[in-house]
Amino acid sequence: MEANFQQWIDEEKKWMAGYRKKTMRTLTHITAPCVIIGLALFFGVMMLLSGPVSDAVYGAISGAVFGAIIMGFVILIVSVGASNGRMERAIMSAVRQLNLSEAEQFQLASEMLEARGDRSKELAFESKAPNSSNPLPVCVTVTEHYAYMKGDSPLANIIRLSDVDRIEAAQEQRQATRRGSQVKTIYTFNVYAVCFFDREGESLGGFGFFDENLRNQTMRMLGQ
């Protein structure tokens, strides 16, 4: 049983490695150059407006160095936060929260391994939050006894379907702020959710989406 569960954990760590690779590629190839160049231009122009060209060059270099330091910290934080170990800890935390027995852990791992690559049980997609240019991989898996979402927050979200009495589709409108160089724009967006409830009507958690179609596909996978 333990070997079976560890095999599933190892597969999830491989998925996390791909998640980290995609995130780091976006940071190093798109975000970091934009931040460094943007700060270099900003500091350079500011110095040019108040002094000679030599000061502008110094300002541009200072801005580039400042941007590189900022992005260095960001990349370090992301690399640690998206580590293979974090995925394993997230899964173990979800397992402990459900208080799964060894038999249930074996069942969970077996069903998840069997569902891998099965489009009727697995929905893989990229989630792009509003005001974000960095889509991240997310995957929902629904088996006979479990529903599992990975890549979102929490990183590993496991629902034991035997605990579920009712499943509802929900929609919530939220607000966010987009900041420009001189203006601040407040805009609204929708979050679509699959909500799970027990026999007492208490929430067991849920899965969130920025795309209504993905939410609806998940509901159909759950037989709703």
Side-chain angles (χ1 to χ4, degrees), residues 101-121:
S101 65
E102 286 192 13
E104 287 177 314
Q105 291 180 37
F106 175 80
Q107 181 186 59
L108 169 65
S110 298
E111 291 185 4
M112 291 300 159
L113 289 170
E114 183 181 346
R116 187 173 298 277
D118 185 340
R119 292 187 177 182
S120 67
K121 298 179 179 180

Side-chain angles (χ1 to χ4, degrees), residues 17 21 31 62 102 121 190 198:
K21 182 179 179 180
T31 308
S62 299
E102 286 192 13
K121 298 179 179 180
N190 292 322
D198 64 14

Side-chain angles (χ1 to χ4, degrees), residues 35 42 51 54 58 61 118 124 144-145 156 171 178 197-198 208:
V35 169
F42 176 76
S54 59
Y58 174 76
I61 294 174
D118 185 340
E144 182 180 355
H145 299 97
Q171 178 178 334
R178 180 183 291 115
F197 299 90
D198 64 14

Side-chain angles (χ1 to χ4, degrees), residues 182-207:
Q182 296 181 353
V183 296
K184 180 175 70 173
T185 305
I186 297 176
Y187 64 98
T188 59
F189 61 94
N190 292 322
V191 175
Y192 305 93
V194 175
C195 304
F196 301 90
F197 299 90
D198 64 14
R199 292 167 183 80
E200 284 70 46
E202 296 292 327
S203 174
L204 296 170
F207 301 159

